[in-house]
Coordinates of all heavy atoms in Angstrom, one line a residue:
T217 N -30.4 -79.0 23.5 CA -29.4 -78.9 24.5 C -28.1 -78.3 23.8 O -28.0 -78.3 22.6 CB -29.0 -80.3 25.1 OG1 -28.5 -81.1 24.1 CG2 -30.3 -81.0 25.7
K218 N -27.1 -78.0 24.7 CA -25.9 -77.5 24.1 C -25.2 -78.6 23.2 O -24.7 -78.2 22.1 CB -24.9 -77.2 25.3 CG -25.3 -76.0 26.1 CD -24.1 -75.7 27.2 CE -24.5 -74.4 27.9 NZ -23.4 -74.1 28.9
Q219 N -25.2 -79.8 23.7 CA -24.6 -80.8 22.8 C -25.4 -81.0 21.5 O -24.8 -81.3 20.5 CB -24.5 -82.2 23.6 CG -23.4 -82.1 24.7 CD -22.1 -81.9 24.1 OE1 -21.7 -82.3 23.0 NE2 -21.2 -81.1 24.9
Q220 N -26.7 -81.0 21.6 CA -27.5 -81.1 20.4 C -27.2 -79.9 19.4 O -27.1 -80.1 18.2 CB -28.9 -81.2 20.7 CG -29.4 -82.5 21.3 CD -30.8 -82.5 21.8 OE1 -31.3 -81.5 22.3 NE2 -31.4 -83.7 21.7
T221 N -27.1 -78.7 20.0 CA -26.8 -77.5 19.1 C -25.4 -77.7 18.4 O -25.3 -77.4 17.3 CB -26.9 -76.3 19.9 OG1 -28.2 -76.1 20.6 CG2 -26.6 -75.0 19.1
R222 N -24.5 -78.1 19.2 CA -23.2 -78.3 18.6 C -23.2 -79.4 17.5 O -22.6 -79.2 16.4 CB -22.2 -78.8 19.7 CG -21.9 -77.7 20.8 CD -21.2 -78.3 22.0 NE -19.8 -78.5 21.7 CZ -18.8 -77.5 21.9 NH1 -19.1 -76.4 22.4 NH2 -17.5 -77.8 21.6
H223 N -24.0 -80.5 17.7 CA -24.2 -81.5 16.7 C -24.8 -80.9 15.4 O -24.4 -81.1 14.3 CB -25.0 -82.6 17.2 CG -25.5 -83.6 16.1 ND1 -24.6 -84.4 15.5 CD2 -26.8 -83.8 15.6 CE1 -25.4 -85.1 14.6 NE2 -26.6 -84.8 14.7
V224 N -25.8 -80.0 15.6 CA -26.5 -79.4 14.5 C -25.5 -78.5 13.7 O -25.5 -78.6 12.5 CB -27.6 -78.5 15.1 CG1 -28.1 -77.5 14.0 CG2 -28.8 -79.3 15.5
L225 N -24.7 -77.8 14.4 CA -23.7 -76.9 13.7 C -22.7 -77.8 12.9 O -22.3 -77.4 11.8 CB -23.0 -76.0 14.7 CG -23.6 -74.6 14.8 CD1 -23.4 -73.8 13.5 CD2 -25.1 -74.6 15.1
D226 N -22.4 -78.9 13.5 CA -21.4 -79.8 12.8 C -22.0 -80.3 11.5 O -21.3 -80.4 10.5 CB -21.1 -81.0 13.7 CG -20.1 -80.5 14.9 OD1 -19.5 -79.5 14.9 OD2 -20.0 -81.4 15.9
V227 N -23.3 -80.7 11.6 CA -23.9 -81.2 10.4 C -24.1 -80.1 9.4 O -23.8 -80.3 8.2 CB -25.3 -81.8 10.7 CG1 -26.1 -82.2 9.5 CG2 -25.2 -83.0 11.7
I228 N -24.5 -78.9 9.8 CA -24.6 -77.8 8.8 C -23.3 -77.4 8.2 O -23.3 -77.3 6.9 CB -25.2 -76.6 9.5 CG1 -26.7 -76.8 10.0 CG2 -25.2 -75.4 8.7 CD1 -27.3 -75.8 10.8
I229 N -22.3 -77.4 9.0 CA -20.9 -77.1 8.4 C -20.5 -78.2 7.4 O -20.0 -77.8 6.3 CB -19.9 -77.0 9.5 CG1 -20.2 -75.7 10.4 CG2 -18.5 -76.9 8.9 CD1 -19.4 -75.6 11.7
E230 N -20.7 -79.5 7.8 CA -20.3 -80.5 6.9 C -21.1 -80.5 5.6 O -20.5 -80.6 4.5 CB -20.4 -81.9 7.6 CG -20.1 -83.1 6.8 CD -20.3 -84.4 7.5 OE1 -20.6 -84.4 8.7 OE2 -20.2 -85.4 6.8
K231 N -22.4 -80.3 5.7 CA -23.2 -80.4 4.5 C -22.9 -79.2 3.6 O -23.0 -79.2 2.4 CB -24.7 -80.4 4.9 CG -25.1 -81.7 5.5 CD -25.0 -82.9 4.5 CE -26.0 -82.8 3.4 NZ -25.8 -84.0 2.5
T232 N -22.7 -78.0 4.3 CA -22.4 -76.8 3.5 C -21.1 -76.9 2.7 O -21.1 -76.6 1.5 CB -22.3 -75.6 4.4 OG1 -23.5 -75.4 5.2 CG2 -21.9 -74.3 3.7
D233 N -20.1 -77.5 3.3 CA -18.8 -77.8 2.7 C -19.0 -78.6 1.5 O -18.5 -78.4 0.3 CB -17.8 -78.3 3.7 CG -16.4 -78.4 3.1 OD1 -16.0 -77.4 2.4 OD2 -15.7 -79.3 3.3
D234 N -19.8 -79.7 1.6 CA -20.1 -80.7 0.6 C -20.8 -80.0 -0.6 O -20.5 -80.2 -1.7 CB -20.9 -81.8 1.2 CG -21.3 -82.9 0.1 OD1 -20.4 -83.3 -0.7 OD2 -22.5 -83.2 0.0
F235 N -21.9 -79.2 -0.2 CA -22.6 -78.5 -1.2 C -21.9 -77.5 -2.0 O -22.1 -77.3 -3.2 CB -23.9 -78.0 -0.7 CG -25.1 -78.9 -0.7 CD1 -25.0 -80.2 -0.3 CD2 -26.3 -78.5 -1.1 CE1 -26.0 -81.2 -0.3 CE2 -27.4 -79.4 -1.1 CZ -27.3 -80.7 -0.7

Side-chain angles (χ1 to χ4, degrees):
T217 65
K218 287 185 177 182
Q219 287 302 324
Q220 288 173 324
T221 302
R222 295 167 75 92
H223 168 70
V224 165
L225 265 292
D226 289 344
V227 173
I228 292 172
I229 292 167
E230 180 182 352
K231 292 295 295 183
T232 300
D233 191 39
D234 178 49
F235 269 47

